DNA sequence: GTATATTGCGCAATTC
DNA sequence: GGAATTGCGCAATATA
């Protein structure tokens, strides 16, 4: 697809300095250019350093004025590269984070399943345990032949909820 | 706010098309502009549509050439807004995702703690159970006389749902 | 077909 | 002075 393009200079709310410079040697600084009918316009007029080799303090090192210069171009290119790299990384990171979410979600499900299983196991075991406890109680009385305690057939209809919930809130 | 701007053209390795257009009516399409001494250069010369009122198909509706026109400016502004919005959203989303990761991590820890607890409980219960089983076995043999058969009339109709729910809300 | 949303890219300011 | 981030605008593209 290839894209090449332009840039723009945006004299934003140019209060202080104005970065604005045109690239070309051919003037056309095209500053204001707000044709009639525009609702919003400003008073550009700030074109700061016209590197025209005049008498001002124009101080450009190499070729043209600060822009388009060898060094400038080099710096830009480096920065562009850095930017690209940085963005790539950023994107990668976001992607990784998303994936992490998915992994964690899976893990969570696994853990919950496990909890469910353990809970069930525990429940069964507790029931068994209770049952045996009752058996024991019977046995204690039965063999003695002279039980000193009432409550025989302990039909403990434990049809209630023997819920031993162990919720650990936090 | 208010921003106005210009463009420049950066002629990188412009192989494909060059969209390039200058804003002002004052020509100066300034395409290449690679001064001498540069290490990277190319064959610019591609300026496609120089809307210079020549014989080409220059077709501008309103004021100046396609750029700087009222409509153009309006569209740009809208797009800029949309871009800003989109980026904000994107950023927000990334942030949310990151937060989700944190939440899930916490949840995971909680779940693991719970598993640990349940496991321990289970272990204890199992041990107890085994111990009692042994005791029972001993009892069965020791009294010698009667015991002999388990399962008396302890009809513990545990028909309830002994649900030990461990709700872990969040 | 236009209007909005996304995306890649370059610039410039800022941070480190 | 250099790389890395970040906000921003442009234009191409995708989506509605």
């Amino acid at each position: 697809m290839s894209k090449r393009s332009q840039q723009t200079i945006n004299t934003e709310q140019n209060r202080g300095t104005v970065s604005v410079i045109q690239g070309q040697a051919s003037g056309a600084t095209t500053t204001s250019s707000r044709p009639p009918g525009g609702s919003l316009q400003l008073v550009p007029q700030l074109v700061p350093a016209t590197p025209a080799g005049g008498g001002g303090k124009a101080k450009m090192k190499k070729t043209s004025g600060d822009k388009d210069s060898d060094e400038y171009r080099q710096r830009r290119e480096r920065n562009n590269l850095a930017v690209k790299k940085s963005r790539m990384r950023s994107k990668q990171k976001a992607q990784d984070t998303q994936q992490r979410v998915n992994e964690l979600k899976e893990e969570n499900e696994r853990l919950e399943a496990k909890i469910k299983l353990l809970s069930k196991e525990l429940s069964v075991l507790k029931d068994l345990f209770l049952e045996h406890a009752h058996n024991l109680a019977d046995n204690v009385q039965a063999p003695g032949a002279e039980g000193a305690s009432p409550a025989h057939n302990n039909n403990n209809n434990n049809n209630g909820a023997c819920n031993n919930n162990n919720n650990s809130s936090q």
Side-chain angles (χ1 to χ4, degrees), chain A:
Chain A
M1 301 322 189
S2 79
K3 291 150 182 214
R4 271 312 58 84
S5 41
Q6 293 84 315
Q7 295 45 356
T8 74
I9 313 172
N10 51 0
T11 59
E12 250 180 301
Q13 62 247 29
N14 41 13
R15 51 291 243 2
T17 53
V18 181
S19 24
V20 174
I21 296 96
Q22 246 287 348
Q24 268 354 75
S26 48
T29 28
T30 73
T31 7
S32 64
S33 77
R34 219 78 275 293
S39 51
L40 22 64
Q41 77 294 62
L42 25 106
V43 228
Q45 240 102 356
L46 292 166
V47 190
T50 336
K57 274 182 133 211
K59 178 186 141 205
M60 66 288 266
K61 271 147 204 167
K62 300 257 155 85
T63 50
S64 41
D66 187 35
K67 233 69 167 181
D68 194 52
S69 86
D70 208 12
E71 186 207 337
Y72 168 73
R73 216 45 240 169
Q74 218 161 322
R75 267 195 342 209
R76 283 305 326 137
E77 206 133 350
R78 280 180 117 84
N79 180 245
N80 288 344
L81 220 67
V83 166
K84 231 183 284 194
K85 194 159 114 188
S86 180
R87 280 170 181 160
M88 212 165 77
R89 245 191 223 160
S90 179
K91 205 172 294 186
Q92 183 67 44
K93 211 183 71 174
Q95 222 167 311
D96 289 0
T97 306
Q98 182 58 55
Q99 190 170 342
R100 186 102 177 83
V101 165
N102 294 339
E103 288 172 4
L104 283 173
K105 278 211 285 208
E106 268 184 48
E107 175 99 358
N108 259 22
E109 281 179 29
R110 260 192 38 237
L111 292 180
E112 296 212 29
K114 187 161 184 174
I115 285 179
K116 202 163 184 175
L117 188 99
L118 285 178
S119 294
K120 185 141 199 162
E121 235 177 292
L122 204 58
S123 157
V124 167
L125 228 66
K126 277 185 180 171
D127 282 357
L128 272 178
F129 197 52
L130 281 182
E131 196 175 324
H132 278 261
H134 294 150
N135 281 356
L136 265 186
D138 276 2
N139 284 351
V140 161
Q141 294 175 247
E146 55 282 333
S149 72
H152 273 332
N153 52 359
N154 53 357
N155 52 355
N156 77 349
N157 42 9
N158 174 6
N159 62 359
C162 87
N163 70 352
N164 43 356
N165 68 348
N166 36 5
N167 59 357
S168 59
S169 61
Q170 189 243 349

